[in-house]
Amino acid sequence: MTMHGGRRGQAERDAITVEIGYALCSAVFAALLGFGAVAGPALLFDLPRGLERALPVVGTVLAAVLFLARVVSVLVRFQRSAQPSQPGRTSPDS
């Protein structure tokens, strides 16, 4: 937002859009890696029946947790860096 609570400029909206896209893409990648690491052995190897059923479930839960954690961490970090360090100033050097 601008200093006086007005509307966001086009550059600010574009930056937010890019950051959301980055957060979602990197979260999908992290979730796929997590799922593959946990559920992959169940798909590749002949494991006991119980383990073969449990690993994909655990992998899905892990993937969901990783996805949410990555999205939240990227967007919170972006929100913190978008605000000036001192009210009314545009950069710490001002």
Side-chain angles (χ1 to χ4, degrees):
M1 291 253 208
T2 60
M3 283 178 30
H4 301 291
R7 293 181 169 223
R8 291 185 172 129
Q10 185 62 41
E12 226 176 301
R13 289 194 310 264
D14 289 346
I16 291 168
T17 301
V18 167
E19 200 65 24
I20 290 170
Y22 169 72
L24 292 174
C25 288
S26 65
V28 166
F29 183 72
L32 286 174
L33 281 177
F35 178 81
V38 173
L43 301 172
L44 295 174
F45 302 113
D46 189 27
L47 300 174
R49 184 78 173 143
L51 195 57
E52 202 169 278
R53 288 178 139 181
L55 286 178
V57 172
V58 173
T60 302
V61 170
L62 177 66
V65 169
L66 286 173
F67 181 86
L68 289 174
R70 181 66 183 162
V71 168
V72 168
S73 70
V74 169
L75 295 180
V76 165
R77 186 175 41 208
F78 175 73
Q79 180 184 13
R80 285 187 191 149
S81 69
Q83 297 177 355
S85 60
Q86 297 176 358
R89 296 189 176 193
T90 57
S91 70
D93 302 353
S94 298

